[in-house]
Amino acid sequence: LSTHFDKETIYQNAKPLSSIIIKELKEFLRPNYDLVTSLRDSYEEMQIHLLKMTPEQLDLVNTFDENDRVMINGPAGSGKTLMAKKIAEDLSGSDIKVCYLVRNKHWYRFIKNSFEDVGCDVLCIEEGFHTDKKYAALIVDEGQDLATLECIDKFESLLENTIDKSKIYWFMDRLYQSNLYDDIDLNTLDYISEHFTKCKLLENCRNPKRIIEETNKITGTSIKNRIQGESPAPEYTFIKNDSKEDHAKRLQEILDHLAQEQIPLSDICILTQKDAENSCVNNLDSDTQKLIGNFRSPILKNSFVRFYDVLSFKGQEAPFIISIDWYSDQPDTNLKNIFYSMLT
């Protein structure tokens, strides 16, 4: 409206609305209740609220100049990788040899180019890296996954100097993202943590509030939510048997519904509790199967639905998640870890 009336001669002397005033007007005028709306409209509305860098993150970034070794603990979606990339860019720009280190090979393949583009080397423990290079600075992401003696040895082998004389930025989530690996013992990190300044992130800035409410309810976490955008509540379908045909039938209905809502295929990720061979995905009709990408393939812009297990997708994100293959033989262990990673 402001832009429209600005073109009218009669309003030429009117005071223009600043971006701050327009934002306040939008917040005042937007009704605070739910309407039945399409999934696509709901998603686009929610996207308006997504923040790229919160005040909490900015405050933390500003402390990095004062501390050479910082261990940052924050929940899923709190912007740890965003800050890691900012640090990598700053260090590379200062001609400091820096390496970004992770354990998970699927996360490595997903994020590798993003860090290399800012001049940072990227190494992955699961890829069995072999390098003689030593670094003055290391950035560790998904650091809870490195809580084993073997991983700590690999980490130390990359340092140009001892830990207490190096620049190290260790990003981790001590909540429920750790025990998806069987060998993790978070107490292992006590071996090195004395050398670090400890910082915490408290706010999730990735997921809409209903997702965080569901995460807190199921897992017992108390994550603070930064995003106020609405989204549909998580939907659960209970199927009374372990028939993969019946599970595939319901999956087909959901995929058909998303197609009718004009959701791009690349915005959808299917997470199996099994593996590619034993998933009900194989029981979908042949035309639908052609629209699903290869298992654990990092498809971003192509017209395919992504297909992963929870561990390999951890750290990544998608606007629409479908969790499948929950059968009666599902073990009780790590259920909170699975739900935490899956929802966030």
Side-chain angles (χ1 to χ4, degrees):
L1 285 172
S2 175
T3 303
H4 171 76
F5 285 111
D6 188 48
K7 299 175 182 177
E8 302 291 329
T9 306
I10 192 173
Y11 295 110
Q12 281 187 350
N13 295 324
K15 183 179 178 182
L17 296 181
S18 69
S19 59
I20 295 175
I21 294 296
I22 290 174
K23 180 181 177 183
E24 290 178 351
L25 283 169
K26 285 169 65 178
E27 290 177 352
F28 176 78
L29 293 169
R30 182 180 290 117
N32 189 25
Y33 53 82
D34 293 338
L35 297 172
V36 177
T37 185
S38 73
L39 271 179
R40 182 148 192 89
D41 287 343
S42 173
Y43 171 54
E44 290 175 352
E45 169 67 13
M46 188 267 291
Q47 285 290 91
I48 294 172
H49 297 270
L50 291 177
L51 303 176
K52 296 303 181 185
M53 184 71 87
T54 68
E56 182 186 45
Q57 294 164 6
L58 286 170
D59 288 342
L60 185 54
V61 167
N62 291 333
T63 68
F64 291 150
D65 290 337
E66 304 168 10
N67 301 280
D68 285 339
R69 288 165 301 283
V70 185
M71 187 170 281
I72 303 97
N73 179 32
S78 57
K80 298 185 292 296
T81 300
L82 181 67
M83 285 185 288
K85 186 177 177 183
K86 177 70 169 64
I87 295 170
E89 190 172 3
D90 290 347
L91 291 171
S92 297
S94 301
D95 293 327
I96 295 173
K97 287 193 299 182
V98 57
C99 174
Y100 175 78
L101 178 67
V102 295
R103 176 177 178 176
N104 190 308
K105 62 184 177 183
H106 304 288
W107 174 245
Y108 163 77
R109 293 166 187 170
F110 173 80
I111 202 69
K112 181 174 181 284
N113 291 341
S114 177
F115 277 81
E116 288 182 340
D117 287 346
V118 298
C120 177
D121 287 352
V122 182
L123 294 175
C124 172
I125 289 176
E126 283 188 347
E127 291 283 21
F129 67 82
H130 299 286
T131 179
D132 295 327
K133 292 181 70 172
K134 303 291 182 181
Y135 297 91
L138 274 183
I139 300 169
V140 176
D141 203 359
E142 298 287 331
Q144 72 282 345
D145 294 346
L146 274 71
T148 73
L149 291 177
E150 181 181 357
C151 290
I152 296 296
D153 287 341
K154 290 273 191 180
F155 153 76
E156 289 186 310
S157 72
L158 294 170
L159 292 173
E160 198 170 65
N161 298 301
T162 57
I163 291 179
D164 59 327
K165 295 181 180 178
S166 302
K167 288 182 176 290
I168 306 171
Y169 304 92
W170 189 289
F171 294 89
M172 64 183 297
D173 179 359
R174 295 186 73 104
L175 291 176
Y176 286 109
Q177 282 198 336
S178 56
N179 290 332
L180 293 174
Y181 282 105
D182 294 333
D183 58 353
I184 294 297
D185 180 3
L186 290 177
N187 293 326
T188 306
L189 297 179
D190 295 341
Y191 168 65
I192 60 170
S193 63
E194 61 180 306
H195 300 289
F196 290 81
T197 299
K198 313 294 193 307
C199 296
K200 282 188 176 182
L201 289 168
L202 301 174
E203 297 177 335
N204 175 288
C205 58
R206 176 170 67 200
N207 305 118
K209 59 184 179 182
R210 286 190 179 180
I211 299 298
I212 295 304
E213 289 170 357
E214 193 75 5
T215 303
N216 289 338
K217 181 174 72 174
I218 289 177
T219 67
T221 54
S222 54
I223 302 171
K224 296 181 180 179
N225 180 235
R226 180 87 184 175
I227 307 291
Q228 293 305 308
E230 277 295 354
S231 71
E235 178 183 323
Y236 301 94
T237 298
F238 294 92
I239 299 172
K240 295 182 178 180
N241 58 60
D242 286 346
S243 164
K244 291 182 182 177
E245 289 78 11
D246 287 351
H247 284 245
K249 181 180 178 181
R250 178 58 183 144
L251 174 59
Q252 183 74 54
E253 292 171 352
I254 294 171
L255 291 171
D256 289 345
H257 173 62
L258 293 177
Q260 291 168 4
E261 293 280 351
Q262 299 182 332
I263 302 302
L265 294 177
S266 57
D267 279 353
I268 304 168
C269 180
I270 295 174
L271 294 180
T272 176
Q273 301 308 310
K274 297 294 184 181
D275 52 37
E277 186 177 335
N278 295 300
S279 173
C280 70
V281 161
N282 300 303
N283 297 88
L284 293 169
D285 66 54
S286 58
D287 288 339
T288 303
Q289 287 188 42
K290 293 175 184 176
L291 301 177
I292 296 176
N294 293 330
F295 191 49
R296 297 169 174 168
S297 175
I299 300 162
L300 291 178
K301 297 181 180 179
N302 298 323
S303 296
F304 291 98
V305 174
R306 282 176 279 177
F307 182 33
Y308 276 79
D309 58 85
V310 175
L311 175 59
S312 60
F313 194 67
K314 185 166 67 74
Q316 300 183 50
E317 58 188 49
F320 298 88
I321 297 286
I322 308 171
S323 178
I324 62 171
D325 296 321
W326 292 85
Y327 303 117
S328 60
D329 62 352
Q330 174 74 32
D332 291 336
T333 56
N334 297 340
L335 281 180
K336 288 186 177 181
N337 304 77
I338 293 170
F339 270 96
Y340 177 87
S341 298
M342 181 180 71
L343 283 164
T344 57

